[in-house]
């Protein structure tokens, strides 16, 4: 769909295996999620939809945020708009279980950190930008030089909540570098390419399992969104 740049921003990645399999990663630019489960997300969406300009005070969304502090934090503490898609970090807020060859288990959340560093716009700089400045800027940047992100797994520690994406794990948790994502060109028709892509967070290779029930919820909802874009 052709919509203005929104906050938080998203980064989705699809790996194609040599055997024809696919692995999808879906991340966004806020370390956390507004609600813990599908029921809470449905309530949030309905509250937003019922809170138009003519809604009586307190509006449904105001009442919802008063009762759900994690959602209020999500909506009111976003970082400023980034200079570029290439200058924001992206977080996989749902946890996965990694199982090694000996059967040892670790719980991880993904993170992508820009090689260019994090850079954001103040109000003055933003005032001179159009509503689609991020989409317009990124192909120009990639044409000059590849855009790169370091890909990390944040490892859960004792007591960390695995199945609630509203709770970010402490920054003191170990980060293990998994690789480097390099983007060296943009497709000719971005809108058509985007409409043709379907990302399912539950698509994982052997040795990795979804550990957060919200992964299954998202994988059930995304095909509905995909169908609506066609």
């Amino acid at each position: 769909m052709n919509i203005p740049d929104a906050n938080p921003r998203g980064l989705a990645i699809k790996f194609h295996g040599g055997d024809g399999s696919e692995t999808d990663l879906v991340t966004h630019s806020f370390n956390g999620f507004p609600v813990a489960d599908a029921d809470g997300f449905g309530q949030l969406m309905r509250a937003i939809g019922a809170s138009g300009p003519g809604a009586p005070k307190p509006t449904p969304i105001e009442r919802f945020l008063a009762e759900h502090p994690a959602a209020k934090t999500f909506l009111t503490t976003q970082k400023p708009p980034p200079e570029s898609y290439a200058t924001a970090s992206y977080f996989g807020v749902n946890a996965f279980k990694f199982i090694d060859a000996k059967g040892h288990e670790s719980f991880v959340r993904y993170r992508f950190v820009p090689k260019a560093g994090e850079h954001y716009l103040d109000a003055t700089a933003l005032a001179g930008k159009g509503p689609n400045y991020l989409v317009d800027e990124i192909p120009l940047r990639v044409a000059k030089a590849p855009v790169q992100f370091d890909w990390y797994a944040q490892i859960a520690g004792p007591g960390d909540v695995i199945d609630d994406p509203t709770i970010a794990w402490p920054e003191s948790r170990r980060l293990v570098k998994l690789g480097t994502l390099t983007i060296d060109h943009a497709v000719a028709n971005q809108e058509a390419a985007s409409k043709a892509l379907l990302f399912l967070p539950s698509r994982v290779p052997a040795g990795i399992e979804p550990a957060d029930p919200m992964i299954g919820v998202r994988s059930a909802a995304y095909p509905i969104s995909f169908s609506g874009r066609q």
Side-chain angles (χ1 to χ4, degrees), residues 21-105:
S21 63
E22 295 181 350
T23 298
D24 295 343
L25 276 63
V26 181
T27 67
H28 68 201
S29 59
F30 187 86
N31 191 10
F33 201 65
V35 294
D37 53 32
D39 180 63
F41 191 71
Q43 292 180 45
L44 173 61
M45 293 296 100
R46 288 190 291 272
I48 292 173
S51 299
K57 298 288 188 175
T59 64
I61 188 59
E62 289 171 341
R63 294 196 301 271
F64 182 89
L65 296 181
E67 298 169 359
H68 298 81
K72 184 175 182 179
T73 297
F74 182 90
L75 294 177
T76 60
T77 63
Q78 295 284 334
K79 291 181 179 179
E83 176 185 286
S84 167
Y85 282 130
T87 66
S89 290
Y90 298 90
F91 304 86
V93 298
N94 300 120
F96 290 86
K97 180 167 68 175
F98 278 31
I99 308 166
D100 68 16
K102 296 181 179 180
H104 298 147
E105 299 177 354

Side-chain angles (χ1 to χ4, degrees), residues 166-190:
T166 68
I167 303 174
W169 296 342
E171 284 300 304
S172 58
R173 296 295 181 253
R174 186 162 62 106
L175 292 174
V176 176
K177 187 174 180 180
L178 301 179
T180 299
L181 171 67
T182 299
I183 304 169
D184 57 14
H185 69 280
V187 299
N189 189 333
Q190 180 65 52

